Amino acid sequence: AAAASETQATEASAQLDAARDRLAQARVDRGRLAEQHAAAARRQRDAQTRIDHADAQHRATAEQLDAEKNKRDGLAAEHDAAAQRSAELTGDVAAADEAVNKATEHQQAVHDTTALAQQAALDAETAADHARAQAHQREMARTALTTKRDACLSHATDQLGLDLAAALAAVRRGDLTPLGLFHQPAELTEDAEQADATNDEQPQANGEQRDPLGESTESADFDPDAFLAVDRPETRAAIDELKQRIARLGNVNLDAIDEQQRLEDQHTGLESQLEDITQAKRELTALIDQLEASCKDRFLETFDTVRAAFAGQDGMFRRLFGGGRADVVLQPVDEQGTLDPLESGIEIMAKPPGKEPRALSQLSGGEKTMTAIALLLAIFETRPSPYAILDEVDAALDEANVERFTGIVQSFLDRSHFIVITHHKRTMQVCDKLYGITMQERGVSKRVPVAFDQVGQDGAIDADAVAAPDDEPTVDASTQRQRDEKQAEEEFFEPDASTPAQDTGDAPMSHRLAGAWDDAA
């Protein structure tokens, strides 16, 4: 019984362990089911959210579709109205074309009429000029006759003592014959009066009449009407008017002919000068056009070269910044985008690594300085010069940028000499020679050659270096200029192998050096 009980206990214990294992597995399964239920709940919620979102999108799409349908209907109505309006405009255009044709025909007719009127006016003006010329000639002839008549009257009064006006009045009255005007001496006045009285008493026979001198004349020899057919008041008024017009003309310029010849010569000279000026203007205009074309070509060539040296793949900007992008472009001179190399401005675009600025003003002070140095050195690389002076260009640069700057400067030392004015120690370290400027006395500057071991950590110069005399002897300006010219000739003027060596002397060398300086400038 004990053995059976023990066996039962063992079986019960095994069953209990199995039940416990099943319970543990059931718990694990329940936990897994709980996790699956939670995941299913989450998926259900996500599905519901997507369904809600899809419903919202469906509603929005339906509303948008309705709006598009309404818009389509509106566009269809507008299209119909536009088609109707187009038909109306087509009719208006046809009417306008017809009106334009009529207006063109009318304009041509008006033009023809105007041309005829202008020709008629020209002919009338020519006839008027001819009539004025004839009137002027008649006026001159009349003036000459009036002058002669006045001279005759004045001559008769002054030389003969004869008042022609009174005598002509007597002739008109028949009291005196025309020939009697010139045959009536003063001493025969009485005899003439007596003869007149006798003639009055004795009728003349055979139609004869006697003059005051007793000479008979035939009445047929003199026609009083033909001689006296002059309206004296009208003639006197015309004479007075002509005299007034002559008086208004002023004094006669006796030098008018000489002055006319002088003015003609002057006019001829001025015409020649005008022709010379016109020819010079044409030549200058052609020269200016040629120079503008040449300047544009040379500017664009230099601009492209500088642009490649500044913004190229191996340009100064990327070498100084270690990457980035830059460009130099011409600005249009008008709203149509026209580019004129001689008038357009130049815009610099710089984008250092890691930045996308819209303008140069958004760059820092050091970045602006580096951009300016890159452009300056790009120009210098395009047209190098023997010497270059850089004054405090590294003031706004940090240590890393100074390292790049000095490295770029050193790459130019095979072509140019650099004089750098700086307070930056790293820039000083790459210099071949170092000179300090100190002011021991107020207003008196002194140049001090300094070695690096004579400069303290705080930048102070050793007192022995300041007190030491200048190693370089003092030379005058002319000697120093000769040394510089000689050194420049040795460094920048290599002899041409194809040209035999000649003794050029100082003057040709100076000319060559001056040309080199001009090219560098």
Side-chain angles (χ1 to χ4, degrees):
S5 298
E6 186 176 355
T7 301
Q8 291 177 357
T10 303
E11 291 175 356
S13 177
Q15 291 176 0
L16 180 61
D17 293 335
R20 287 178 179 174
D21 293 337
R22 287 195 300 271
L23 180 61
Q25 184 64 34
R27 290 178 179 175
V28 172
D29 294 338
R30 187 180 61 180
R32 186 181 298 110
L33 291 175
E35 292 176 359
Q36 292 177 356
H37 182 269
R42 287 194 300 270
R43 286 194 298 272
Q44 184 180 4
R45 288 194 298 271
D46 294 338
Q48 186 64 36
T49 303
R50 287 194 296 270
I51 291 172
D52 296 338
H53 183 65
D55 293 338
Q57 288 183 347
H58 177 71
R59 288 192 296 272
T61 304
E63 294 175 357
Q64 186 176 2
L65 182 59
D66 295 336
E68 292 295 333
K69 288 181 179 179
N70 295 330
K71 185 176 180 181
R72 185 185 63 183
D73 296 338
L75 290 176
E78 291 179 0
H79 179 268
D80 296 337
Q84 184 179 0
R85 181 59 179 168
S86 176
E88 295 175 357
L89 291 177
T90 303
D92 294 340
V93 167
D97 290 338
E98 184 178 359
V100 167
N101 295 330
K102 293 182 179 179
T104 304
E105 295 176 357
H106 181 68
Q107 182 181 5
Q108 184 64 30
V110 171
H111 179 72
D112 297 338
T113 306
T114 303
L116 294 176
Q118 289 178 352
Q119 184 64 31
L122 183 61
D123 297 339
E125 186 177 358
T126 304
D129 293 338
H130 183 66
R132 283 194 293 268
Q134 291 181 350
H136 180 66
Q137 293 179 357
R138 289 196 298 270
E139 189 69 23
M140 291 179 61
R142 183 177 180 181
T143 302
L145 292 175
T146 303
T147 303
K148 290 181 181 180
R149 187 189 65 182
D150 293 339
C152 289
L153 293 175
S154 177
H155 180 74
T157 303
D158 295 338
Q159 300 295 331
L160 303 177
L162 181 65
D163 189 359
L164 288 180
L168 290 175
V171 170
R172 178 176 298 199
R173 292 193 304 270
D175 297 338
L176 187 64
T177 63
L179 296 178
L181 296 175
F182 305 98
H183 300 281
Q184 190 179 6
E187 61 269 13
L188 298 180
T189 305
E190 274 181 35
D191 297 337
E193 292 176 356
Q194 293 176 2
D196 291 338
T198 304
N199 292 331
D200 291 338
E201 293 175 359
Q202 297 179 359
Q204 298 177 355
N206 300 325
E208 295 181 353
Q209 58 180 1
R210 295 179 176 272
D211 60 6
L213 298 178
E215 299 178 353
S216 63
T217 59
E218 293 294 333
S219 61
D221 296 337
F222 173 68
D223 188 2
D225 296 333
F227 185 79
L228 298 175
V230 178
D231 189 356
R232 294 189 60 82
E234 183 180 357
T235 304
R236 174 60 62 185
I239 291 172
D240 294 338
E241 182 182 359
L242 291 174
K243 286 183 179 181
Q244 292 177 2
R245 293 175 63 182
I246 292 173
R248 286 197 297 270
L249 291 177
N251 297 328
V252 178
N253 185 8
L254 301 180
D255 298 332
I257 298 177
D258 296 336
E259 184 176 359
Q260 180 183 5
Q261 184 65 32
R262 181 179 61 81
L263 291 177
E264 288 179 353
D265 296 339
Q266 184 178 0
H267 181 264
T268 303
L270 291 176
E271 283 185 345
S272 178
Q273 294 179 10
L274 179 61
E275 181 64 25
D276 294 340
I277 293 174
T278 304
Q279 181 65 23
K281 179 182 178 182
R282 289 194 293 266
E283 293 177 356
L284 288 175
T285 303
L287 179 60
I288 289 172
D289 295 338
Q290 182 180 359
L291 289 176
E292 284 186 354
S294 178
C295 289
K296 288 181 180 179
D297 294 338
R298 296 184 63 180
F299 175 81
L300 290 176
E301 181 181 358
T302 304
F303 180 80
D304 293 338
T305 305
V306 173
R307 181 181 182 185
F310 171 70
Q313 187 65 27
D314 296 331
M316 285 295 170
F317 186 85
R318 292 180 60 84
R319 292 168 62 183
L320 280 174
F321 280 93
R325 293 181 292 109
D327 199 359
V328 181
V329 296
L330 296 176
Q331 294 179 340
V333 297
D334 53 18
E335 296 179 356
Q336 287 73 23
T338 305
L339 294 178
D340 187 357
L342 302 182
E343 299 292 339
S344 298
I346 297 177
E347 182 178 2
I348 301 173
M349 296 182 294
K351 295 182 179 180
K355 286 191 175 183
E356 290 293 333
R358 296 181 180 271
L360 287 177
S361 59
Q362 297 178 355
L363 298 178
S364 63
E367 290 171 342
K368 293 179 183 178
T369 304
M370 291 285 284
T371 303
I373 293 174
L375 181 59
L376 176 63
L377 293 180
I379 298 173
F380 194 76
E381 184 179 14
T382 305
R383 298 296 297 271
S385 63
Y387 292 94
I389 299 177
L390 304 178
D391 187 4
E392 297 289 352
V393 297
D394 57 349
L397 304 182
D398 54 12
E399 298 292 336
N401 290 331
V402 170
E403 290 290 344
R404 297 193 186 97
F405 164 66
T406 55
I408 294 296
V409 170
Q410 286 179 332
S411 65
F412 283 91
L413 295 182
D414 58 340
R415 290 165 287 175
S416 304
H417 296 282
F418 283 85
I419 299 174
V420 183
I421 302 172
T422 181
H423 290 87
H424 209 289
K425 296 180 181 179
R426 289 190 176 273
T427 305
M428 297 179 189
Q429 290 177 1
V430 300
C431 296
D432 297 331
K433 292 183 181 180
L434 188 64
Y435 294 93
I437 304 299
T438 183
M439 186 182 295
Q440 292 178 331
E441 299 179 7
R442 183 179 297 276
V444 180
S445 299
K446 179 182 178 182
R447 187 182 65 175
V448 181
V450 181
F452 283 106
D453 55 0
Q454 294 175 335
V455 181
Q457 294 294 332
D458 56 352
I461 301 175
D462 188 75
D464 295 336
V466 177
D470 193 353
D471 295 339
E472 297 184 4
T474 304
V475 295
D476 56 358
S478 61
T479 304
Q480 185 64 34
R481 180 177 179 82
Q482 293 178 1
R483 290 181 180 179
D484 294 341
E485 291 177 353
K486 184 176 181 181
Q487 182 181 1
E489 184 182 22
E490 293 175 354
E491 294 184 359
F492 296 98
F493 296 98
E494 298 180 358
D496 189 358
S498 62
T499 304
Q502 297 180 0
D503 186 7
T504 57
D506 292 339
M509 183 274 290
S510 301
H511 294 168
R512 293 170 64 195
L513 184 62
W517 280 93
D518 293 339
D519 292 340

